[in-house]
Amino acid sequence: TLPRRMADAAGLAALEREGIVIGGHGHSHEPLTRVTDPAAEFRACRETLARLGLGGDRPAFSFPHGRTSPELIAAAQAAGFGLCFTSAHVLTPLAGLAGPAGIGRIEMDLRAWRGAGGLDRAALAFALITPPHGPGR
């Protein structure tokens, strides 16, 4: 096993050169619903990305610990972020991608789509475009 380590600036730049867009995740990694000055968190994060030449003109933002509100999403967008990701267990419709609720996340246990022949890509693709269902969904 390899030790866990975070990517450094050079590693992030290499990922972007290969087509993986880098976005923001806050400056202190504190839940933004708990910090006293969320605007400062957004600014510091945005400035760091810009200084490193990452994320483009309107990088995406993923809320630390998934904690957010419509007001925080608006503040992130005012600070120069584009798409805002949350940990809400919801499949966000296309029309809602830039909306005040942010983009939700669906958890997927890939074991359900693995068979003797490997990953069943068609079944996984279908699951990705249909709303979650079942108990608690």
Side-chain angles (χ1 to χ4, degrees), residues 10-52:
L12 294 173
L15 287 172
E16 278 211 337
R17 284 192 302 275
E18 294 299 321
I20 297 172
V21 179
I22 304 301
H25 191 56
H27 185 69
S28 68
H29 200 259
E30 291 296 317
L32 294 173
T33 53
R34 294 185 183 170
V35 300
T36 56
D37 189 358
E41 281 279 319
F42 292 125
R43 275 192 312 275
C45 180
R46 186 70 182 91
E47 289 167 1
T48 299
L49 287 171
R51 186 179 71 252
L52 296 173

Side-chain angles (χ1 to χ4, degrees), residues 30-86:
E30 291 296 317
L32 294 173
T33 53
R34 294 185 183 170
V35 300
T36 56
D37 189 358
E41 281 279 319
F42 292 125
R43 275 192 312 275
C45 180
R46 186 70 182 91
E47 289 167 1
T48 299
L49 287 171
R51 186 179 71 252
L52 296 173
L54 299 171
D57 293 335
R58 293 199 44 88
F61 189 85
S62 178
F63 283 87
H65 309 278
R67 307 284 291 278
T68 190
S69 69
E71 294 79 17
L72 286 170
I73 291 171
Q77 292 169 337
F81 290 99
L83 299 174
C84 292
F85 294 89
T86 74

